[in-house]
Amino acid sequence: MRYRYECAVNIEDLIKLSDVMLEHSLGPNGGLVYCMDYLEKNIDWLESKLEPLLKDHYLLFDFPGQVELFFLHSNAKKVISKLIKKMNLRLTAVHLVDAHLCSDPGKYVSALLLSLSTMLHLELPHINVLSKIDLIESYGKLAFNLDFYTDVQDLSYLQYHLDQDPRSAKYRKLTKELCEVIEDFHLVNFTTLDIQDKESVGNLVKLIDKSNGYIFVGIEGSVVEFSKIAAAPLDWDYYRAAAVQEKYMKDDDDYSD
């Protein structure tokens, strides 16, 4: 189910994907790259639309999901960079990955690689999210506890499960090397989201607000007090894995019934 909402600024008022595809004989992905390039060249239009909202609004930019925009091409990054510099915005990239990909070791590794590539390309405070967490086992039981996937623990444990799939086994050496690259950077981890659960959404917003500094707005205090807030463990860490697993994942007894 897709949730529709009324946006304050609609890019279709500047350029429409359907028009671009028709006029230039492009597919959806190529059309989106064209649209993003057009937006970059007309960034003044977006700035003028955002200006009246800056004083008393929390801005959320809803980007298309096509990965080409975020690590193969630079125009989306340029749009974001111009907005940050010209409008003094504090932005966090929130990268959504379907949680059910954890049930397929090959797809999970691909999601990790995409997340890492996007983090390095955008160069922003970054939150990776396993979304649709309520559907995490819709494609089968996970091989490990949820924290294995959220914390991106020792990926060598995935190798056995990858070898069980003939499609993955032939790329065993390549997959091993990719896993080592992901672990060497030690940047990727995940939080979780069930968009229909108010507490889940609230926990994600807290994490975003801490990553970009919004949590400090309106707080008066010394440097020491600020440091305590910044360094303190997140009091919702428990909900990122243990409570989420208990709520959305079956235990072995449930599967045996």
Side-chain angles (χ1 to χ4, degrees):
M1 177 179 178
R2 291 179 63 89
Y3 290 86
R4 295 191 176 275
Y5 56 89
E6 183 178 346
C7 52
V9 180
N10 191 343
I11 186 64
E12 287 194 338
D13 294 338
L14 175 68
I15 186 170
K16 286 189 176 183
L17 175 61
S18 57
D19 294 342
V20 169
M21 292 170 60
L22 182 62
E23 182 176 347
H24 299 283
S25 300
L26 293 171
N29 292 1
L32 282 168
V33 171
Y34 183 100
C35 289
M36 194 62 67
D37 186 58
Y38 189 86
L39 176 61
E40 182 203 344
K41 290 179 170 59
N42 293 273
I43 195 68
D44 292 345
W45 174 88
L46 182 55
E47 291 171 3
S48 68
K49 296 289 186 181
L50 293 175
E51 191 67 43
L53 305 175
L54 293 183
K55 185 177 180 180
D56 54 2
H57 284 77
Y58 189 106
L59 301 180
L60 193 156
F61 297 88
D62 187 3
F63 280 84
Q66 276 75 2
V67 299
E68 292 88 348
L69 298 175
F70 305 107
F71 76 97
L72 292 180
H73 298 274
S74 61
N75 37 27
K77 179 181 179 180
K78 289 178 180 177
V79 167
I80 295 168
S81 297
K82 288 179 179 179
L83 292 177
I84 291 174
K85 292 177 181 178
K86 291 187 177 182
M87 309 193 77
N88 194 31
L89 301 180
R90 294 182 179 182
L91 300 180
T92 294
V94 182
H95 182 223
L96 304 180
V97 174
D98 283 356
H100 71 76
L101 296 181
C102 295
S103 64
D104 184 318
K107 291 180 180 177
Y108 174 67
V109 172
S110 296
L112 289 175
L113 194 61
L114 174 59
S115 299
L116 176 61
S117 300
T118 305
M119 293 175 77
L120 296 176
H121 183 71
L122 291 182
E123 298 179 305
L124 288 172
H126 196 104
I127 308 293
N128 293 304
V129 181
L130 293 177
S131 65
K132 305 175 186 175
I133 193 66
D134 52 312
L135 303 176
I136 188 167
E137 290 192 322
S138 59
Y139 289 83
K141 179 176 170 57
L142 301 191
F144 305 99
N145 287 336
L146 183 60
D147 60 352
F148 176 89
Y149 302 93
T150 57
D151 296 345
V152 190
Q153 297 175 7
D154 190 345
L155 296 179
S156 64
Y157 286 106
L158 283 177
Q159 199 64 59
Y160 169 79
H161 297 278
L162 285 164
D163 290 347
Q164 305 310 300
D165 185 345
R167 296 169 301 175
S168 302
K170 63 185 296 187
Y171 300 111
R172 190 177 193 278
K173 184 177 180 181
L174 173 61
T175 303
K176 181 176 181 294
E177 297 291 339
L178 291 176
C179 287
E180 289 177 357
V181 169
I182 294 166
E183 291 183 321
D184 286 346
F185 275 96
H186 200 62
L187 290 175
V188 184
N189 57 29
F190 293 94
T191 188
T192 60
L193 175 65
D194 174 2
I195 193 62
Q196 301 180 75
D197 185 275
K198 184 177 180 179
E199 186 177 22
S200 178
V201 175
N203 289 333
L204 176 57
V205 172
K206 289 178 185 178
L207 194 58
I208 294 168
D209 289 348
K210 187 170 183 178
S211 72
N212 59 27
Y214 183 75
I215 196 173
F216 300 107
V217 174
I219 296 178
E220 296 182 3
S222 66
V223 174
V224 174
E225 290 172 331
F226 277 103
S227 298
K228 287 180 179 178
I229 296 173
L234 301 177
D235 58 3
W236 55 89
D237 260 355
Y238 170 75
Y239 295 96
R240 191 164 58 91
V244 174
Q245 175 164 328
E246 182 179 346
K247 184 174 183 179
Y248 296 113
M249 295 171 61
K250 297 179 181 179
D251 58 28
D252 291 335
D253 292 337
D254 293 328
Y255 279 96
S256 61
D257 291 341

